[in-house]
């Protein structure tokens, strides 16, 4: 579970400094209980993001029934965040 306040803290960081490998590393250090992934938006196919920011879409990542990572819209099911940069 990711508390909505925690998501807003991440959004504030990403809004301030953008999304790149250094940002993800800083997020991992600051929010060590969460998993972070960085990719390109076009690698995801058609999917609505949890939050849309300038230059980046934010997705919630949880574990499906099989234990594999899945995208979710429910912060209660999420354990990580995927930052998808716009090309």
């Amino acid at each position: 579970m990711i508390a909505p306040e925690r998501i807003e803290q991440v959004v504030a960081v990403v809004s301030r400094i953008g999304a790149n490998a250094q940002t993800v590393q800083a997020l991992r250090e600051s929010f060590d209980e969460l998993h972070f992934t960085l990719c390109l938006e076009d690698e995801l196919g058609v999917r609505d993001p949890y939050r849309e920011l300038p230059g980046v879409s934010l997705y919630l990542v949880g574990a499906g029934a099989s234990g594999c990572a899945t995208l979710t819209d429910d912060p209660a099911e999420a354990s990580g965040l995927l930052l998808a940069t716009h090309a």
Side-chain angles (χ1 to χ4, degrees):
M1 182 208 169
I2 303 176
E5 302 83 29
R6 203 62 154 163
I7 295 170
E8 291 308 314
Q9 291 171 332
V10 171
V11 166
V13 171
V14 174
S15 294
R16 189 173 68 250
I17 63 175
N20 56 47
Q22 292 81 17
T23 302
V24 170
Q25 184 59 39
L27 290 169
R28 288 176 179 152
E29 292 170 6
S30 297
F31 304 97
D32 61 351
E33 77 281 9
L34 300 176
H35 300 280
F36 292 92
T37 305
L38 179 68
C39 73
L40 296 174
E41 179 74 20
D42 61 1
E43 294 177 318
L44 293 174
V46 179
R47 173 93 181 171
D48 290 332
Y50 180 76
R51 288 283 297 273
E52 189 75 32
L53 305 170
V56 63
S57 297
L58 179 74
Y59 296 85
L60 301 178
V61 179
S66 66
C68 293
T70 61
L71 296 179
T72 181
D73 293 325
D74 186 356
E77 295 176 7
S79 60
L81 297 145
L82 184 147
L83 305 175
T85 60
H86 303 165

